[in-house]
Amino acid sequence: MWILGPIGFTAPWVLLALALLPILWILLRAVPPAPVKRRFPGVALLLGLKDEEVEADRTPWWLLLLRMLAVAALIIAFAGPVLNPRVERGGSGPLLVLMDASWASAPDWTLRMGRLGQALDEAEVDGRTLCILPATDIPAEGCAFLSAADWRPRLAGIEPAGFAPDMDALSGALTTLPDGVETLWLSDGLARDGRDRVLSLLQSHGPVSVFETGRDRLALGALSLTDTGVTLPVLRAGNGPRDVTVVAHGTDPAGVARELARQEVKLDGARAEVIFDLPPELRARVSRFEIEGERSAGAKRLTDDSLKRREVALLSVREGGEGLQLLSQLHYIRAALYGKADVIEGALEDLIMANPDVIVLADVAQLSGGEAADLLDWVSEGGMLLRFAGPQLAASDVARDAEDPLMPVRLRAGGRTLGGAMSWGEPKRLRPFAETSPFYGLPVPEDVEVNAQVMAQPDPELAARTIATLEDGTPLVTRKALGQGQVVLFHVTANAEWSTLPLSGLFVSMLDRLSVTSQAALLEADDLTGQSLQPQELMDGFGTLTDAGTVPPVAGETFATARASRATPPGLYQGRDALRALNVMAEGDTLTVASWPSDVPLSGVTAARERPLSPALLLAALALLGADLLASLWLSGRLFGARAVPLLLLALALSPQDLRAQSPDDFALLASSELTLAYVKTGDAVLDRTSEAGLQGLSDMLTARTSVEPAGPMGIDLETDPLGFFPLLYWPVTTTQPMPSAAAYTKLNAYLRTGGVIVFDTRDADVAAFGAATPTGTRLQALASPLDIPPLEQIPEDHVLTRAFYLLRDFPGRHAEGTLWVEASPDSEQAEGMPFRNLNDNVTPVIIGGGDWAAAWAVDDTGFPMLPVGRGFAGERQREMAYRFGINLVVYVLTGNYKSDQVHVPALLDRLGQ
């Protein structure tokens, strides 16, 4: 086949005849048109006269062009043109099957493994060796070219990884390829740096073809915390609008896994943001966010301690029971922590035993020796001690002569009073925060004033430990590191006695910046220096978390800047002080559809279908010749009058007839002339084509194996078409299908009561098998609620469907998992020695499952399977069992439960080998 762009020619040598068209043009121009005969008596006077110059009339140019186009259409039609031809690249050399095998390959992994199985079959027939190379799991020994039989046992171990392939490592592995290697690249459809370099390297060794499914790739980007909740970007590589639902999963107060919240977002481009307005106590229980219905690691976002509220312990000097609440040392701290942290109070010994994240001491000066030692150990192990000054601290000798380990700086005796008659001056305002301060960027309100404070003694390290000052430069907040923890001192009281700071919003913001109310969301390399993070759970390409086992720990410095890779797979890692999550998508990442050069053949499930153009060109040539005939008759004056009647009759005879059923009688005749299987039209063109192809494949199999010979399947509109002609309706469930009208439900209930059977297929057995509610399952509940459906049960082992034609235990479709639901059987006793109960009841009116049976049955126009099922031989076995279930289903619907009669027991026992 010769390929020219998207068109191929099976007999390209015929196109050489196009070169003769100019010669034909010259010949036609030289031949005059036929003369027009007219009877005119005066012509007799001209007899015997001769013209000195004879000039022949010429055919009009537009008529010649019409004829040239007709001849050209005939020549091209005989050359066998094909639109989007399938390129079959046979050969005897080695074959490299390169798989991206990333998280983006996971949603349609079955299709990729089906294409891999097809490549193995082709290589086995051609006697070729091949190498299967997952780009996310490159073997150290390089690419090994083995026979297809040697590769088949290894296919089960090939799985998508939870990270993107390393193109640099892949390029290095491909440098050792031998010459003459043909490459089949199973791409995940995403563009990434280094892909063009790898493609050039592969093309230098031999031809390259690419397989892509064309499916949209969805992922969740890096989340951010806001005052209103959690903002999460939804990223997409694809086109067209699409609605996406993001779900937050976590645990309830009892520790049971639940769906905590969900938000819908409409994607019109490559990015959209979804906002979860979660209260702090609910946000702390979120374990992951995920895109509903998208089974990949990129569609899940693990959360860690950055979303969890911190536990804060409060302790102050003993307060009298008659003290005013607003004068309490802890009142404003409690208000600042309300809804943001879990607050506990009690004795210091008990608080240390509870191991909170922060301990707040409000005007607590003296600690006993045991308390101080225990508190020192707690801070050294990573705790934060937050202290506030007050009259007790100002009057004590703490940190006077020498630095106290539990104080950030040494203090002067007494305190400093501002704004009174005996004061040192007017009340002081705060100075803007320095860039090195954790409070940098916070606006300083003008109404925040300090009336009194404890003063820090001058010290060489005082400036480095000061993180907030007054306008005169005196320290207001100091801090020092102590082991893995830190000690912070506010040089004013925690109430409004010494300053107006606790009355302002700045006080709450300063506590936030000190990570008192929540964990720090950002991770700096310095924070993890010297640590080792131990993997707890790791996420595979499908987004499933598994125990990390003996995976070695990751150095903190490496983890702080790590991206999901083979060395640091996505998952949950336990650090010294907190649980950290490493996700697929990092801050600033985007998704872009991969583009390929025009010389690289691209195939896939969504690739354009092969279509021969010869019939269309022959019809076009016939139409042009007809136009030429009409034009010639018009020029000769023969188009009108009595001579036009035969032409009109010929045109009527050749006009296409509409053979479709246009009336109810025609529909009834077409549906009842032969046994016909029907499917419910959902409005989804792709799904409806799959349903029609699936029932056609099942009809072909019934004709080949049984005495049932159905006609072609028919699509049913529940609103307009009668249902009584069809013994079986196949109803694939979609989330977008509209609810039928009341009149349609009346017809459906009448259909079920008069012996009709509806097979509901939710097509979600691959995910519903894990126990989670699915969108199509939820939609089925809404669609079926107005129907008169009897109680259902999971199909029992002795149900007639298991033995109507074949002996079956499972009922797979395109998905092998799932459960089949039928009408609950009456309580019948099983006779002794009988393999099943005597169930002479009616046929179940509804059958519910999620196997996606039509996709497994579907065949194309040539009779070959339209969609892949499973992997290799196991997949074909699964398709065979799907056909057997379909045959059992039709035979069961047509014959009822007659095989429950005991007369069949001897034959069945003989077949069962008992």
Side-chain angles (χ1 to χ4, degrees):
M1 179 180 288
W2 180 55
I3 297 178
L4 183 63
I7 300 178
F9 296 91
T10 57
W13 55 270
V14 178
L15 296 176
L16 296 176
L18 293 174
L20 301 177
L21 289 180
I23 301 176
L24 183 61
W25 174 281
I26 296 173
L27 292 176
L28 291 177
R29 288 285 290 175
V31 177
V36 179
K37 294 182 178 181
R38 292 286 187 268
R39 294 183 179 274
F40 181 60
V43 174
L45 300 175
L46 304 177
L47 296 177
L49 299 178
K50 295 182 179 180
D51 291 334
E52 296 181 358
E53 296 181 2
V54 179
E55 182 178 353
D57 196 4
R58 295 181 181 274
T59 304
W61 67 268
W62 54 269
L63 186 59
L64 286 177
L65 179 61
L66 197 65
R67 293 171 180 174
M68 292 297 100
L69 291 176
V71 174
L74 288 173
I75 293 173
I76 297 175
F78 288 128
V82 179
L83 182 63
N84 303 313
R86 296 179 182 176
V87 180
E88 300 294 340
R89 291 194 173 185
S92 57
L95 174 67
L96 170 64
V97 181
L98 176 61
M99 307 177 69
D100 279 344
S102 69
W103 62 268
S105 304
D108 41 28
W109 187 249
T110 302
L111 299 179
R112 300 174 186 281
M113 295 305 293
R115 182 63 184 92
L116 176 59
Q118 180 182 349
L120 286 175
D121 295 340
E122 295 170 354
E124 191 169 25
V125 171
D126 296 335
R128 308 173 67 182
T129 60
L130 73 161
C131 171
I132 302 175
L133 182 62
T136 52
D137 188 16
I138 302 173
E141 62 275 11
C143 201
F145 287 88
L146 307 173
S147 66
D150 293 331
W151 275 110
R152 291 189 190 279
R154 308 185 187 190
L155 295 184
I158 302 177
E159 297 287 348
F163 46 88
D166 185 346
M167 289 298 170
D168 293 333
L170 180 59
S171 298
L174 295 177
T175 55
T176 59
L177 284 179
D179 292 333
V181 174
E182 179 185 353
T183 301
L184 171 62
W185 193 337
L186 305 185
S187 169
D188 61 9
L190 293 181
R192 53 179 57 94
D193 294 338
R195 184 184 289 274
D196 294 339
R197 183 175 66 255
V198 173
L199 178 60
S200 300
L201 184 60
L202 292 173
Q203 289 179 319
S204 66
H205 290 85
V208 178
S209 58
V210 175
F211 174 87
E212 283 185 355
T213 63
R215 177 186 176 125
D216 282 0
R217 302 297 174 218
L218 298 173
L220 293 177
L223 59 84
S224 59
L225 303 180
T226 62
D227 295 337
T228 58
V230 179
T231 301
L232 200 62
V234 181
L235 310 176
R236 181 179 68 152
N239 299 310
R242 177 172 177 176
D243 294 329
V244 172
T245 301
V246 182
V247 183
H249 292 275
T251 57
D252 60 14
V256 180
R258 301 283 186 186
E259 177 186 310
L260 302 182
R262 63 171 48 224
Q263 291 287 341
E264 293 186 359
V265 60
K266 186 176 184 63
L267 278 169
D268 290 320
R271 177 188 173 97
E273 288 191 348
V274 58
I275 300 176
F276 283 88
D277 187 6
L278 302 174
E281 58 272 13
L282 186 62
R283 186 182 71 186
R285 296 203 301 268
V286 175
S287 60
R288 74 182 187 278
F289 296 93
E290 66 178 39
I291 299 175
E292 188 175 55
E294 192 75 9
R295 192 182 176 208
S296 76
K300 291 182 174 57
R301 192 80 194 178
L302 301 177
T303 64
D304 51 23
D305 289 343
S306 62
L307 285 184
K308 295 178 173 57
R309 294 195 306 179
R310 307 198 81 180
E311 191 174 49
V312 180
L314 304 182
L315 181 67
S316 70
V317 295
R318 183 174 300 176
E319 300 171 347
E322 298 179 357
L324 295 177
Q325 182 180 9
L326 295 181
L327 297 180
S328 168
Q329 290 283 351
L330 298 179
H331 170 71
Y332 296 100
I333 299 178
R334 293 191 189 100
L337 298 178
Y338 178 75
K340 296 184 177 182
D342 296 325
V343 177
I344 58 175
E345 299 184 41
L348 182 58
E349 180 181 0
D350 297 333
L351 296 179
I352 296 175
M353 290 292 294
N355 193 27
D357 298 294
V358 181
I359 293 180
V360 179
L361 300 183
D363 196 21
V364 175
Q366 299 292 339
L367 298 173
S368 66
E371 290 177 335
D374 293 341
L375 188 58
L376 183 63
D377 293 339
W378 174 83
V379 175
S380 300
E381 292 176 358
M384 174 187 286
L385 177 61
L386 179 61
R387 307 191 68 164
F388 287 87
Q392 298 279 354
L393 184 61
S396 70
D397 295 330
V398 174
R400 292 291 188 267
D401 300 329
E403 181 178 332
D404 190 305
L406 297 176
M407 295 291 288
V409 295
R410 291 191 303 145
L411 303 178
R412 293 183 182 180
R416 178 192 187 192
T417 304
L418 302 169
M422 303 296 292
S423 68
W424 292 359
E426 296 296 327
K428 301 296 183 183
R429 294 187 177 90
L430 275 64
R431 176 181 292 177
F433 302 110
E435 294 185 3
T436 58
S437 169
F439 310 133
Y440 176 71
L442 293 177
V444 178
E446 294 183 359
D447 58 349
V448 174
E449 295 181 339
V450 175
N451 302 315
Q453 67 175 140
V454 293
M455 298 290 293
Q457 292 193 30
D459 189 273
E461 297 183 354
L462 179 60
R465 295 181 180 182
T466 301
I467 56 178
T469 62
L470 299 180
E471 58 186 358
D472 61 358
T474 55
L476 176 66
V477 184
T478 54
R479 178 177 68 173
K480 78 170 181 180
L482 183 61
Q484 297 298 322
Q486 58 180 327
V487 179
V488 180
L489 172 64
F490 278 73
H491 291 239
V492 294
T493 57
N495 58 14
E497 183 178 355
W498 285 12
S499 73
T500 59
L501 178 62
L503 302 176
S504 68
L506 177 62
F507 184 64
V508 179
S509 299
M510 293 174 74
L511 294 182
D512 287 342
R513 289 292 182 91
L514 290 173
S515 299
V516 174
T517 55
S518 64
Q519 291 277 22
L522 299 178
L523 189 63
E524 301 294 341
D526 294 341
D527 299 335
L528 296 177
T529 302
Q531 294 191 35
S532 292
L533 287 88
Q534 181 64 45
Q536 301 295 309
E537 292 181 292
L538 299 179
M539 188 162 56
D540 62 15
F542 297 109
T544 304
L545 283 173
T546 56
D547 185 76
T550 59
V551 177
V554 179
E557 298 86 344
T558 302
F559 187 86
T561 57
R563 298 179 61 92
S565 64
R566 187 175 183 180
T568 53
L572 297 174
Y573 293 76
Q574 181 62 54
R576 183 181 301 159
D577 57 346
L579 186 68
R580 306 289 185 180
L582 181 61
N583 288 283
V584 173
M585 304 301 292
E587 183 72 31
D589 284 355
T590 59
L591 298 181
T592 306
V593 178
S595 60
W596 301 93
S598 58
D599 60 339
V600 175
L602 182 63
S603 63
V605 175
T606 59
R609 192 170 182 177
E610 185 179 74
R611 181 173 301 174
L613 299 179
S614 292
L617 288 171
L618 290 174
L619 287 176
L622 182 61
L624 291 172
L625 292 176
D628 174 76
L629 176 61
L630 294 175
S632 299
L633 292 174
W634 175 67
L635 290 175
S636 61
R638 304 173 188 174
L639 185 60
F640 304 102
R643 297 185 181 92
V645 176
L647 293 176
L648 181 61
L649 294 176
L650 179 62
L652 291 176
L654 294 178
S655 62
Q657 302 295 319
D658 190 356
L659 301 179
R660 294 176 298 175
Q662 298 294 335
S663 67
D665 292 339
D666 294 334
F667 181 90
L669 183 62
L670 187 61
S672 59
S673 58
E674 294 184 74
L675 173 67
T676 303
L677 304 181
Y679 64 92
V680 175
K681 295 179 180 178
T682 63
D684 185 329
V686 176
L687 182 58
D688 290 345
R689 285 197 298 270
T690 302
S691 299
E692 182 179 8
L695 294 184
Q696 183 62 58
L698 179 58
S699 299
D700 294 344
M701 202 60 65
L702 284 165
T703 302
R705 300 186 182 184
T706 71
S707 59
V708 181
E709 298 181 356
M714 296 179 61
I716 298 301
D717 187 338
L718 296 176
E719 303 294 338
T720 59
D721 295 332
L723 308 179
F725 302 108
F726 309 101
L728 174 70
L729 282 182
Y730 176 76
W731 190 337
V733 180
T734 68
T735 57
T736 58
Q737 184 177 9
M739 292 288 291
S741 64
Y745 276 116
T746 301
K747 288 196 301 182
L748 286 169
N749 282 321
Y751 175 75
L752 293 176
R753 296 188 187 108
T754 54
V757 176
I758 301 178
V759 180
F760 290 101
D761 190 351
T762 56
R763 305 174 294 112
D764 58 1
D766 55 335
V767 292
F770 299 100
T774 64
T776 51
T778 304
R779 187 60 178 169
L780 173 60
Q781 294 178 0
L783 290 172
S785 58
L787 295 178
D788 185 13
I789 297 178
L792 303 177
E793 66 176 353
Q794 295 186 19
I795 185 169
E797 294 182 356
D798 60 349
H799 196 277
V800 180
L801 257 177
T802 63
R803 58 184 186 276
F805 193 86
Y806 291 101
L807 296 177
L808 301 177
R809 293 185 177 88
D810 302 311
F811 311 95
R814 197 176 184 194
H815 307 306
E817 305 86 358
T819 303
L820 201 66
W821 294 82
V822 296
E823 181 182 2
S825 304
D827 295 331
S828 300
E829 295 184 359
Q830 181 175 338
E832 184 177 358
M834 296 296 102
F836 47 77
R837 295 170 293 170
N838 186 17
L839 298 175
N840 264 336
D841 57 334
N842 294 325
V843 175
T844 175
V846 295
I847 299 173
I848 300 176
D852 198 5
W853 295 294
W857 301 333
V859 294
D860 57 19
D861 296 338
T862 62
F864 287 97
M866 193 167 71
L867 297 170
V869 173
R871 305 175 183 172
F873 176 78
E876 292 308 312
R877 178 64 179 171
Q878 181 176 329
R879 191 192 302 276
E880 169 62 24
M881 299 308 294
Y883 276 128
R884 293 188 180 188
F885 164 66
I887 292 174
N888 273 24
L889 175 64
V890 175
V891 172
Y892 167 67
V893 170
L894 296 179
T895 61
N897 284 351
Y898 84 102
K899 281 215 171 179
S900 286
D901 296 335
Q902 303 302 318
V903 68
H904 296 282
V905 169
L908 289 172
L909 287 177
D910 181 65
R911 292 186 62 189
L912 289 170
Q914 298 180 2

